[in-house]
Amino acid sequence: MSFNSFGKIFNITTFGESHGEGIGCIIDGVPAGLKIDKDFIQSELDRRKPGKSKYETGRKEEDEVKILSGVFEGISTGTPIGLFIKNTNQKSKDYENIKDIFRPAHADFTYFHKYGLRDYRGGGRSSARETAARVASGAIAKILLKEIGIKVLSGIYAIADIKANEIDFSYAKTNIIYSLDKKIQEKQLKLIEQCKKEHDSVGGVALVKIKKSPIGLGEPIYYKLDGILAEAMMGINGVKGVEIGDGIKASEKKGTYNNDEIDKNGFLSNHSGGILGGISNGEDINIKVYFKPTPSIFKPQKTINKNNENAICELKGRHDPCIAIRGSIVAEAMAAIVMADMLLLNMGRRLDNIKKIYNG
Ligand SMILES: Cc1cc2nc3c(=O)[nH]c(=O)nc-3n(C[C@H](O)[C@H](O)[C@H](O)COP(=O)(O)O)c2cc1C
């Protein structure tokens, strides 16, 4: 049993720490014959990479991906694909003053008590540096999904309580905080800027949309599509809530509003967010992913040290003022990984499909 792996058939295992040699992943279960575009993997990593603007951590990493295995002459061979991203801009000295104390809201306290030691340099394995490997894996998943027309998109829905009114995924691609709404982007930017000035951080919400999913993906009862998407999102650093479709709001509504009626042309609304009974219904799959404010802030905070004595946490180093921004790209990648896995799992679930594969 591995706790650093995810997925049943399209299975990823990630490794590496924030200030170690680098971050990498093994992606097993990728069908042979897929054209692996390295530039595309790189472009996905570039969307997540740190230090692109003042709204992100100042840790500048090129995040250049190296393909180690599983690809021959640009085509997947059906063997495990190994990807590696070297760490190049570690500043472990910045963390020396906190090596014996626990940063409030970070994983220092729990990692130390669980393992009896901790790699304090940049948060070690608990650092979101690991999410670069998820984005690289997600790029491979997207390449597979593209073969059948499935698209995964993301953007920033809210920064604190400044929420999008109009959703425009193509606009999200063009602005530095990936905001979905042109009209409120400036307001969201200003809030992040203000928090940064005040040595504080702020929470936010990412919206992920999966378009053109075929009907039938998801494996009831314990591998339902919504259940696994929620697991994938909740597993991302700093995510504190996930909603599918109307989510929690559905609990405030009546059935007459919430039920998605159907006619011969399809569903007349999509409150369910494209999933019924844990199975995709062919509509867009909408997921809201709620990120907490960045734990590392530059204000003195009360904490304790390893000897359980009171201490003050005063941070140096470079941190994202709002993790939701780069987190949205991670959420998009995880959604793609889930969809790739569900797609491959679904192939063996009906005799007529199996016959088509083997008998033509
Ligand atoms: C893309 C991304 C970037 C992050 N950057 C930072 C950061 O610069 N500083 C920090 O303290 N936490 C950062 N985090 C959040 C921490 O990794 C996370 O809060 C910590 O591991 C504790 O886990 P938990 O919040 O899920 O309990 C980031 C998270 C994501 C998804």
Side-chain angles (χ1 to χ4, degrees), residues 48 56-58 95 103-108 110-111 122-123 125-129 131-132 234-240 291-297 315 318-331:
R48 193 221 71 107
E56 299 172 354
T57 168
Y95 291 85
R103 285 171 296 172
H106 215 294
D108 305 344
T110 44
Y111 264 60
R125 181 75 178 155
S126 75
S127 161
R129 182 92 193 105
T131 61
M234 284 300 289
I236 299 171
N237 315 35
V239 171
K240 294 296 134 194
F291 287 86
K292 72 183 191 183
T294 317
S296 299
I297 56 176
L315 294 175
R318 302 154 295 173
H319 298 279
D320 287 274
C322 178
I323 61 176
I325 300 171
R326 294 196 301 124
S328 65
I329 308 300
V330 183

Side-chain angles (χ1 to χ4, degrees), residues 18-30:
S18 179
H19 288 202
E21 273 298 304
I23 293 288
C25 52
I26 305 286
I27 308 139
D28 206 354
V30 180

